[in-house]
Amino acid sequence: MRQLLMTLIVLFLASGAIMGFLFFRQEAPMADYTEPIAAVEPEEPAEETIEEVPEEPQEEPAEESAEEPAQETQEEPEEPAQTKPAKKKKKRKYYRFSVGTQRDNQNVRSEPNGRILYNVPKGSSGYIVVFDDEWSLVEIKGDIAYMATRYLQLEEISKSEFPKKLRKLTTADAGKKVSL
């Protein structure tokens, strides 16, 4: 009796596993399983070019066979891999901005979505230090801080119009003061 009970439990669990598999599996067209997978080549760093040195072919010991004598094969040396030309760096764009929000004031922040340092009125202007679609690092009133890009009206300017003191600043300079 105990063995019969154990057998029924095992069958019940097995049928539940099969039903779960059938219920939760995802149907996919057969073509997905027969098409070859395309290899994705990793991007190379733009500033660094690595030249690959071909490996020397290692000779494997010839297996001696009673039927056929071992034959030596000469392999042609592989040609060195051609290096790709270094990618061109994007030319930096320089912007002046003015606050163009529909509200009276716009927040100046310590970091993206961070603590509000102060508000500036519509029409206030400054320079974009590091542009981003959501939060740009800006210079405004001598402070390097963040503002929501969507509220800024941008004007592209030449490099000579952009202050030299701001050209080498990065996001690590957020919170600093500069005098122009």
Side-chain angles (χ1 to χ4, degrees), residues 40-174:
V40 177
E41 294 183 23
E43 290 186 19
E44 294 183 13
E47 297 177 11
E48 193 175 308
T49 304
I50 300 173
E51 187 173 320
E52 293 182 18
V53 179
E55 292 182 18
E56 294 292 324
Q58 296 178 358
E59 293 184 22
E60 296 180 15
E63 293 181 18
E64 293 184 26
S65 161
E67 297 174 6
E68 294 182 12
Q71 296 179 355
E72 292 184 25
T73 59
Q74 290 184 343
E75 294 182 20
E76 294 182 22
E78 294 180 23
E79 293 181 20
Q82 295 180 358
T83 57
K84 295 180 183 178
K87 294 180 182 177
K88 293 181 181 178
K89 288 186 176 181
K90 288 184 181 179
K91 186 177 178 181
R92 180 175 175 185
K93 293 184 179 182
Y94 299 96
Y95 296 102
R96 182 180 301 128
F97 73 87
S98 61
V99 176
T101 181
Q102 294 176 0
R103 299 185 304 179
D104 291 335
N105 295 314
Q106 179 57 41
N107 296 330
V108 177
R109 298 178 181 261
S110 59
E111 59 186 42
N113 229 4
R115 182 174 55 90
I116 297 172
L117 300 173
Y118 53 88
N119 294 320
V120 291
K122 183 176 183 176
S124 298
S125 63
Y127 295 96
I128 300 284
V129 177
V130 178
F131 178 82
D132 183 72
D133 288 334
E134 291 185 42
W135 294 94
S136 290
L137 186 66
V138 301
E139 178 284 324
I140 189 161
K141 296 184 177 182
D143 293 319
I144 305 300
Y146 285 91
M147 293 181 76
T149 307
R150 67 178 173 245
Y151 300 122
L152 305 177
Q153 293 177 340
L154 304 180
E155 173 191 354
E156 190 172 345
I157 58 175
S158 68
K159 184 177 180 179
S160 62
E161 293 175 281
F162 194 80
K164 286 183 181 180
K165 289 183 176 182
L166 301 179
R167 291 182 192 164
K168 294 191 181 200
L169 296 180
T170 66
T171 54
D173 297 307

